[in-house]
């Protein structure tokens, strides 16, 4: 696998070891390319299934199980915490609420550190080690930081996380401390923290934000695992929250690869849901998509996606066009109500993940999703990622009983 510019008009090829994340020719983000890879779908599907019976760490991982489509490493060099292998759960109350008959949740919050970030981080940190990095760094609304800190600890590296002070869940900050990260708080929002980190240019730091193309490769496997769980019959819609837009980009890349290699015969439509107070992609599409419309002061209760200037916006636009996708936004009230309903299905998630159900409701009301459509919503973070917001929603509701 090589690096390549993700801009379809440029497609500049670069060596896998190229140090920067942007194309030296056009400035767009890079991605991994696997030109000339012609797998046999029947053989690989059988092999991937077989690996589930193995006890080897690389086979047990829900990411590395699909390693034919990932950058190559020696099995023993892989940094894994047994990520992936997350369930696909029917959500009956949620389906009733949204008015669709077939709704399933793929819960990526059931990963080792409680969010989908682990799927990318196992590849990102493995690559960091291959490059001889001793310090890994990221800016984060909390989940990337927690995940990076855990995988760095496994790999014996130092982790440095740049967090927007007071603008993220305390539970996530606690996780970063627990895995031994150095926590640097930035006055400002996520976009400021990312800009600060990139400007510092400490050459010892290897960046692990989702502009890192190796992370995107790991996050692709959500689609591989989902299609396998559906016996390779794609749903009509895959609904995903949008923040920095790395995950939507990864899903689109995976679907493109699976479709062109003959693993799936149709491509599900990707629905990206943003919070109304942090909706740069919605605004960008509305304005004709020539340049990114930045949201200067992003504000939402879903702090994980409180992002005004997403780096992967061009990749996400491409995914929308390739999958005939949809982007929309939902307000905080809708997010919290959807979160409550997902909880009633016994599933639970953090606020950012609940944008999916809120988005499905909206699209159903608009008639953009039919009642009998097969919809899969991607839940990105565990319910315990943000306990404060739950306690606030239910303040004063606990029943106090005196000793009798
Ligand atoms: N859901 C959760 C729970 C997240 O933590 C994030 C992003 C997203 C959705 C959006 O994903 O950025 O790929 O579009 N969290 C990042 C972080 C920004 O720092 O943890 P995206």
């Amino acid at each position: 696998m090589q690096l390549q510019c993700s801009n379809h008009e440029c497609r500049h090829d670069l060596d896998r070891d190229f140090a920067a994340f942007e194309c030296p020719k056009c400035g767009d983000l890079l991605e991994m390319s696997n030109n000339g890879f012609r797998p046999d779908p029947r053989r690989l599907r059988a092999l991937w299934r077989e690996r589930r019976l193995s006890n080897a760490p690389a086979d047990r991982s829900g990411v590395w199980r699909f390693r034919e489509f990932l950058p190559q490493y020696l099995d023993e060099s892989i940094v894994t915490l047994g990520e992936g292998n997350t369930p696909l759960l029917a959500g009956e109350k949620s389906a009733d609420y949204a008015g669709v008959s077939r709704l399933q949740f793929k819960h990526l919050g059931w990963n080792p550190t409680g969010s989908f970030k682990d799927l990318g981080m196992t590849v990102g940190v493995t690559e960091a080690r291959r490059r001889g990095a001793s310090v890994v760094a990221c800016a984060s609304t909390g989940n990337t930081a927690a995940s990076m800190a855990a995988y760095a600890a496994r790999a014996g590296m130092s982790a440095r996380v740049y967090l927007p002070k007071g603008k993220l869940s305390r539970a996530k900050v606690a996780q970063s401390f627990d895995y031994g990260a150095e926590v640097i708080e930035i006055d400002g929002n996520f976009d400021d923290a990312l800009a600060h980190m990139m400007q510092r240019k400490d050459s010892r730091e290897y960046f692990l934000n989702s502009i890192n193309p190796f992370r995107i490769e790991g996050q692709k496997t959500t689609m591989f695992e989902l299609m396998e769980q559906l016996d390779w019959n794609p749903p009509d819609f895959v609904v995903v929250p949008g923040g920095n837009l790395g995950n939507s980009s990864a899903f689109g890349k995976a679907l493109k690869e699976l479709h062109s290699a003959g693993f799936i015969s149709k491509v599900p439509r990707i629905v990206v849901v943003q919070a109304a107070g942090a909706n740069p992609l919605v605004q960008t599409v509305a304005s004709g998509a020539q340049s990114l419309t930045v949201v200067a002061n992003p504000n939402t209760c879903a702090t994980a996606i409180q992002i005004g200037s997403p780096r992967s916006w061009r990749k996400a636009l491409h995914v929308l066009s390739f999958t005939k996708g949809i982007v929309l936004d939902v307000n905080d009230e809708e997010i919290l109500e959807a979160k409550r309903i997902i909880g009633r299905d016994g599933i639970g998630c953090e606020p950012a993940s609940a944008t999916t159900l809120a988005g499905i409701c909206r699209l159903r009301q608009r008639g953009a999703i039919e009642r009998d459509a097969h919809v899969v919503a991607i839940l990105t973070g565990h319910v315990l990622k943000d306990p404060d917001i739950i306690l606030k929603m239910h303040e004063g509701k606990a029943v106090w009983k005196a000793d009798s």
Side-chain angles (χ1 to χ4, degrees):
M1 265 194 168
Q2 267 202 318
L3 283 167
Q4 192 174 56
C5 176
S6 64
N7 178 344
H8 289 240
E9 270 131 49
C10 175
R11 284 294 185 207
H12 183 44
D13 282 317
L14 292 145
D15 189 77
R16 175 179 167 167
D17 290 329
F18 186 68
F21 299 116
E22 276 141 12
C23 175
K25 265 195 170 170
C26 76
D28 234 326
L29 290 180
L30 304 179
E31 64 182 22
M32 302 300 298
S33 92
N34 215 351
N35 286 340
F37 178 49
R38 301 271 172 273
D40 171 357
R42 277 182 53 188
R43 191 187 70 80
L44 275 190
R45 283 181 197 167
L47 177 65
W48 292 341
R49 188 170 279 269
E50 217 172 90
R51 281 183 184 151
R52 292 210 304 225
L53 300 174
S54 155
N55 283 324
D59 293 343
R60 300 288 309 164
S61 161
V63 169
W64 297 106
R65 200 152 64 78
F66 302 105
R67 54 190 173 271
E68 284 73 14
F69 275 81
L70 302 181
Q72 302 297 302
Y73 300 92
L74 296 174
D75 282 5
E76 56 276 18
S77 74
I78 286 168
V79 184
T80 176
L81 282 163
E83 52 290 320
N85 300 314
T86 53
L88 185 62
L89 303 161
E92 282 181 24
K93 293 198 178 78
S94 300
D96 280 352
Y97 176 72
V100 290
S101 49
R102 197 160 172 221
L103 173 61
Q104 288 169 298
F105 290 110
K106 173 115 183 100
H107 207 326
L108 307 183
W110 296 22
N111 267 296
T113 77
S115 86
F116 73 95
K117 306 290 181 178
D118 298 338
L119 304 171
M121 219 42 91
T122 182
V123 182
V125 171
T126 298
E127 176 65 16
R129 191 155 75 173
R130 192 186 73 85
R131 290 178 179 226
S134 56
V135 187
V136 285
C138 68
S140 177
T141 54
N143 284 328
T144 301
S147 178
M148 189 191 77
Y151 282 83
R154 299 289 298 176
M157 287 175 198
S158 304
R160 203 170 279 161
V161 303
Y162 297 82
L163 306 179
K165 188 167 187 219
K167 293 200 164 78
L168 71 166
S169 155
R170 292 184 311 156
K172 297 176 187 176
V173 185
Q175 261 188 305
S176 276
F177 278 122
D178 198 57
Y179 300 130
E182 180 187 343
V183 174
I184 300 158
E185 291 190 315
I186 302 289
D187 275 326
N189 56 37
F190 167 83
D191 305 295
D192 301 322
L194 185 57
H196 177 89
M197 182 191 78
M198 306 287 285
Q199 273 158 19
R200 267 176 48 113
K201 283 210 168 44
D202 177 342
S203 59
R204 288 169 313 152
E205 285 180 357
Y206 183 65
F207 293 157
L208 281 170
N209 276 97
S210 58
I211 53 171
N212 183 314
F214 292 90
R215 263 194 54 196
I216 298 297
E217 292 302 295
Q219 289 176 210
K220 275 185 346 193
T221 58
T222 298
M223 287 299 107
F224 286 65
E225 195 173 274
L226 172 65
M227 296 308 152
E228 187 183 56
Q229 284 167 318
L230 295 172
D231 294 321
W232 303 97
N233 296 311
D236 298 308
F237 294 92
V238 172
V239 187
V240 59
N244 216 13
L245 302 172
N247 220 18
S248 357
S249 306
F251 291 2
K253 187 170 191 285
L255 292 173
K256 205 171 195 177
E257 292 175 3
L258 287 173
H259 188 251
S260 66
F263 284 74
I264 50 174
S265 55
K266 88 169 193 194
V267 175
R269 296 178 69 184
I270 297 271
V271 177
V272 180
V273 192
Q274 296 199 299
N279 64 353
L281 189 64
V282 174
Q283 293 196 37
T284 299
V285 169
S287 75
Q290 296 305 314
S291 58
L292 175 68
T293 309
V294 172
V295 173
N297 291 307
N299 188 16
T300 167
C301 69
T303 53
I305 52 171
Q306 192 162 273
I307 294 174
S309 179
R311 295 295 168 121
S312 297
W313 67 277
R314 271 190 219 274
K315 286 187 179 178
L317 282 180
H318 179 69
V319 171
L320 290 177
S321 106
F322 166 66
T323 70
K324 300 188 177 61
I326 304 173
V327 59
L328 76 160
D329 57 8
V330 291
N331 63 37
D332 282 3
E333 247 171 59
E334 292 170 281
I335 293 172
L336 292 181
E337 182 56 12
K339 177 174 150 52
R340 199 180 64 78
I341 304 287
I342 296 168
R344 296 302 302 275
D345 263 323
I347 294 174
C349 63
E350 69 165 285
S353 309
T355 55
T356 53
L357 181 60
I360 297 163
C361 278
R362 277 267 189 111
L363 292 177
R364 181 72 195 102
Q365 283 156 15
R366 264 197 230 164
I369 292 184
E370 304 285 325
R371 170 171 281 282
D372 62 357
H374 180 190
V375 185
V376 174
I378 308 294
L379 300 180
T380 44
H382 195 277
V383 65
L384 291 177
K385 280 288 192 174
D386 194 349
D388 286 349
I389 201 159
I390 307 173
L391 293 171
K392 207 165 139 201
M393 283 164 73
H394 297 276
E395 211 162 8
K397 286 197 203 150
V399 178
W400 182 74
K401 205 160 175 273
D403 286 348
S404 52

